[in-house]
Amino acid sequence: MASLLRQRRRSRYILPMTDLRTTLTESELRIAWRWIAEESYWGKAIPWPVFERACRGSICFGLFESDRLVAFARVVTDQATFAWLCDVFVAAEARGRGLGKTLMEGVLAEPRLRDLRRWGLATADAHGLYGQYGFEPADPLRHMEKVDRDIYPRLAGAIT
């Protein structure tokens, strides 16, 4: 698996080496899926087949410490003009150590995502993090969306 970013971060203690990868195994994707489906506010109950299909159409990023997945992000993009950052998640036991920043730096450094005109994302609680990387509130006069907030529970019932 190709490593895009290796870095040692220091605060009051030395953190393990981190490794950012864009090639994740099915078992690693299943760990990320469990985080999203069970612990996130935006993807509660997303069925595995839906998450897996979403990952196939995206560039997925896994941040690892000692070969253990500790953070995940997914980018939907045409790789020329636009990218949508989503499913950003840091494992509960790994939070508070700057891994969200490490993940963001790696995502934005990805060669396939350089020189894009527009990035988008949605967040309820991480405006401060994303603001550090140039994200700002979208223009409410131009930005529109269509959201079915109950689709995952309905799909989960249909898939099982």
Side-chain angles (χ1 to χ4, degrees):
M1 289 181 219
S3 172
L4 293 178
L5 176 72
R6 289 184 184 274
Q7 125 179 30
R8 184 173 301 276
R9 300 181 62 89
R10 293 179 188 265
S11 59
R12 284 187 257 163
Y13 52 91
I14 296 176
L15 294 176
M17 183 75 76
T18 57
D19 184 18
L20 185 66
R21 304 175 195 164
T22 57
T23 303
L24 283 76
T25 66
E26 180 178 333
S27 63
E28 293 162 348
L29 287 175
R30 282 187 179 271
I31 292 168
W33 165 66
R34 279 192 289 281
W35 290 340
I36 305 302
E38 297 172 7
E39 301 179 42
S40 78
Y41 63 84
W42 65 89
K44 278 272 191 237
I46 185 171
W48 164 249
V50 174
F51 183 80
E52 181 184 35
R53 191 170 75 229
C55 289
R56 280 196 309 265
S58 306
I59 301 173
C60 294
F61 295 82
L63 187 65
F64 294 80
E65 285 182 339
S66 304
D67 283 329
R68 188 174 65 83
L69 184 65
V70 294
F72 176 83
R74 187 167 66 84
V75 177
V76 181
T77 182
D78 62 10
Q79 298 185 35
T81 64
F82 177 82
W84 182 263
L85 177 65
C86 54
D87 292 342
V88 178
F89 196 90
V90 177
E93 68 275 6
R95 293 180 189 150
R97 298 190 283 133
L99 296 177
K101 291 179 183 181
T102 301
L103 182 60
M104 282 301 300
E105 290 163 9
V107 167
L108 294 173
E110 165 61 42
R112 293 172 288 180
L113 301 175
R114 288 198 192 132
D115 302 321
L116 301 180
R117 180 171 187 246
R118 184 175 309 270
W119 282 79
L121 63 82
T123 185
D125 58 2
H127 298 82
L129 170 67
Y130 299 121
Q132 295 175 51
Y133 298 95
F135 288 87
E136 54 191 38
D139 181 347
L141 298 177
R142 293 178 183 219
H143 181 84
M144 295 177 68
E145 64 182 356
K146 179 180 178 229
V147 179
D148 182 345
R149 299 192 193 293
D150 299 319
I151 194 163
Y152 297 149
R154 284 198 318 274
L155 287 175
I159 292 173
T160 56

